[in-house]
Amino acid sequence: MNKNIRLKSELDDVLDWSATQVLGAIKTREVSVSEVVDVALERAQQTQEDCNCFTAIFAEESREQARNIDTALAQGGGHAAGALLGVPIGIKDFTPTQGQLTTCGSVLMKDHVTTRDAVVAKRLKAAGGIVIGKTTTPEFAHSGMTSSPLWGATCNPWDSKRSSGGSSGGSGVAVTCKAVYLAEGSDMGGSIRIPASFCGCVGLKPSKGRIPMDALDSVFDHISHFGPLARSVDDAALFLKITQGAYEPDIQSQRSPMPISEVIQNDAKGLRLAVSPDLGIYNVDPEIIGNLRQSVSALEDAGAQVDWVDLNWPVHYIKHWEDYWGVFLAAQFGHHLEQHRDRMDPELVGLMEAGMKIDAVTMERGAIVRTEQWHKMAKLFETYDALICPTTAKVAPPVHANESDFTTFDENGGYNALDMTAIFNNVSVCPAIAVPNGFTKAGLPTSVQVVGHRFDDPMVLRLAKCLESRAPWTNWQP
């Protein structure tokens, strides 16, 4: 046998590597980009059949790009291949990619091919990332569950009867099932962190403006972020370093973001951390709290001083976000209602109709609510370097559940919400990362959320690295 022909069983191991590991192997010519792309495409097809996480897979285009990068590397032009060197990635169907189908999960856009790249996609491609597929999202990214009138439901890789989360559910599944090494997501209320929690991967909502946002008609909203879903903390940091930085069309983009070290620390010596299991609002699954305690112990082992705090935040913090979300959706997409209401997701229609009933004075009072929340967080951060809490209050719900199923209160006043993420989009300058931290007895992943000081993305990455190094999840396999 030709020694240069690699056996399929040997290549299967490549799928288990992180993005940073496969980059190292490509640089040393241990594997070719074409080999990596071939096995990734095969896994993507399998994952699509099992979980329905892609809206399009670009096999021929990806293989051609891989061959071109291999040729450049063979000719000593590795610098021209960029920082990602042909690593297979996924881009959310909400995010414009030039010349490719981008439907936002809506039958109204079922044939829509975009003529431009969003800046996050442009930077990933310029770095040599190969977009092997677009990943599923609920219609116009409106929900914490990924199911759309156009593409149907995306199921959880650990239990096909459960939801993948949303709205970047396809990206969460594609990363967890190792069909791609990195996937892009957008986060307006937890749409990166919720699927990261339900699927069992890393999900980072960077501080507002760290990655420019240009997928919307307005650049003045205060909740919208691009960010990574990743197999490891180092991979999330790699994505951030490639995509961050000023972009003049986005007035909120950061000109000089805090630098991320080449090697992320994995100790917490000298750090003080506040832990809240429920933020004073949420009714949290006991198994999630149990796994949170294990995460806290890991941070203490890493040298942190940890205090359990009673935040006692009022529920109107999250209720304001819910009002704003309805207004946001109505402003962005409500023009479709008059002609296409019957073709749209009823949950989305309900959110937009509710948003249209909210007056401007109520919305401006919401800014006062956000200010109150921020002042309380600023006071907390006078003492603590970060806030630790669960990412979601519940494990992955049934695959056909609706967001509206999680709006009740228990007998003690605890809010039976699904996530604990949207409340931090109220204070979007604060980065937040979701980190896998165990399983329930039913075999479903749980997640811990690290929320940092404003613009301090390096700190949340450092604490996530502490958790990863002391309670590794990278060998978990659905």
Side-chain angles (χ1 to χ4, degrees):
M1 179 181 291
N2 186 333
K3 67 179 181 180
N4 293 320
I5 299 176
R6 198 183 304 270
L7 295 174
K8 181 181 176 183
S9 59
E10 294 174 328
L11 282 174
D12 286 345
D13 293 340
V14 174
L15 291 173
D16 293 330
W17 298 345
S18 68
T20 50
Q21 288 172 321
V22 81
L23 273 171
I26 291 170
K27 288 176 182 177
T28 60
R29 312 297 295 279
E30 182 181 346
V31 294
S32 69
V33 177
S34 293
E35 288 175 322
V36 173
V37 166
D38 279 343
V39 293
L41 284 169
E42 183 176 351
R43 176 64 62 84
Q45 293 287 357
Q46 294 170 347
T47 305
Q48 171 60 12
E49 292 172 9
D50 291 341
C51 297
N52 186 36
C53 63
F54 290 101
T55 62
I57 295 174
F58 310 118
E60 292 185 13
E61 181 181 334
S62 298
R63 289 190 172 104
E64 181 180 357
Q65 292 176 46
R67 288 192 295 269
N68 291 339
I69 293 174
D70 281 332
T71 299
L73 290 170
Q75 296 173 349
H79 62 281
L84 283 177
L85 282 176
V87 167
I89 63 175
I91 301 289
K92 186 177 178 178
D93 188 39
F94 180 81
T95 303
T97 50
Q98 184 175 4
Q100 295 174 332
L101 190 69
T102 304
T103 72
C104 296
S106 176
V107 295
L108 311 183
M109 298 177 64
K110 65 183 179 66
D111 300 316
H112 178 63
V113 175
T114 47
T115 58
R116 69 178 183 93
D117 282 321
V119 67
V120 65
K122 182 181 293 185
R123 289 176 178 179
L124 289 166
K125 288 180 178 181
I130 295 180
V131 181
I132 68 165
K134 297 296 288 284
T135 58
T136 51
T137 180
E139 189 169 22
F140 297 122
H142 78 277
S143 175
M145 269 74 78
T146 296
S147 181
S148 73
L150 181 59
W151 302 108
T154 298
C155 66
N156 193 291
W158 300 92
D159 183 345
S160 62
K161 296 180 181 179
R162 301 275 184 160
S163 172
S164 62
S167 63
S168 309
S171 289
V173 172
V175 167
T176 303
C177 290
K178 302 182 178 178
V180 297
Y181 291 87
L182 284 167
E184 174 268 339
S186 58
D187 191 313
M188 288 83 168
S191 286
I192 290 171
R193 290 160 288 159
I194 295 168
S197 176
F198 289 168
C199 293
C201 63
V202 178
L204 172 64
K205 178 196 80 65
S207 57
K208 179 66 175 168
R210 182 112 190 183
I211 301 174
M213 166 57 73
D214 63 341
L216 303 166
D217 291 336
S218 170
V219 295
F220 287 96
D221 81 275
H222 67 267
I223 63 172
S224 302
H225 310 254
F226 286 130
L229 291 102
R231 300 184 185 187
S232 72
V233 176
D234 284 339
D235 288 359
L238 174 67
F239 182 109
L240 197 57
K241 284 185 277 191
I242 289 168
T243 57
Q244 68 183 2
Y247 176 66
E248 286 308 305
D250 179 3
I251 194 171
Q252 297 187 71
S253 62
Q254 296 179 33
R255 296 193 65 86
S256 301
M258 294 175 67
I260 300 168
S261 301
E262 285 301 314
V263 178
I264 299 172
Q265 287 180 262
N266 68 353
D267 71 81
K269 293 176 182 176
L271 301 181
R272 292 193 66 184
L273 307 176
V275 180
S276 175
D278 60 5
L279 304 179
I281 298 172
Y282 298 94
N283 180 17
V284 183
D285 186 304
E287 287 188 273
I288 290 175
I289 293 178
N291 287 348
L292 174 67
R293 294 185 183 279
Q294 295 179 17
S295 296
V296 170
S297 295
L299 291 170
E300 288 175 326
D301 290 343
Q305 177 183 333
V306 176
D307 295 329
W308 291 76
V309 298
D310 184 3
L311 294 182
N312 197 31
W313 286 355
V315 75
H316 66 251
Y317 289 178
I318 189 59
K319 286 300 184 183
H320 160 69
W321 179 89
E322 292 171 353
D323 286 348
Y324 184 88
W325 184 229
V327 171
F328 175 97
L329 291 169
Q332 291 287 332
F333 310 112
H335 58 281
H336 293 299
L337 283 177
E338 185 174 351
Q339 294 185 5
H340 302 294
R341 180 188 309 266
D342 295 341
R343 302 173 65 197
M344 301 175 75
D345 187 310
E347 291 268 314
L348 171 60
V349 170
L351 287 168
M352 290 193 292
E353 289 179 335
M356 289 176 175
K357 295 175 183 176
I358 296 173
D359 63 89
V361 173
T362 298
M363 272 294 89
E364 188 57 26
R365 285 182 184 140
I368 298 172
V369 171
R370 294 198 310 275
T371 301
E372 177 187 317
Q373 182 185 342
W374 167 242
H375 284 168
K376 288 190 176 183
M377 289 188 70
K379 184 68 175 177
L380 186 79
F381 286 151
E382 288 178 6
T383 302
Y384 298 102
D385 295 288
L387 171 64
I388 313 296
C389 66
T391 305
T392 54
K394 308 285 187 293
V395 295
V399 69
H400 293 298
N402 292 312
E403 198 90 62
S404 58
D405 298 333
F406 300 92
T407 58
T408 62
F409 292 83
D410 66 18
E411 62 276 8
N412 298 315
Y415 190 33
N416 291 316
L418 188 67
D419 68 83
M420 297 173 65
T421 54
I423 197 167
F424 295 111
N425 290 72
N426 281 345
V427 287
S428 59
V429 293
C430 297
I433 192 167
V435 182
N437 71 337
F439 289 89
T440 65
K441 291 178 181 177
L444 295 171
T446 63
S447 176
V448 60
Q449 184 172 211
V450 181
V451 183
H453 287 225
R454 57 193 176 125
F455 304 118
D456 196 358
D457 302 76
M459 178 59 74
V460 299
L461 289 168
R462 175 182 174 182
L463 292 169
K465 184 78 172 179
C466 288
L467 291 163
E468 179 183 65
S469 64
R470 286 157 180 81
W473 65 82
T474 51
N475 291 328
W476 297 0
Q477 184 71 43

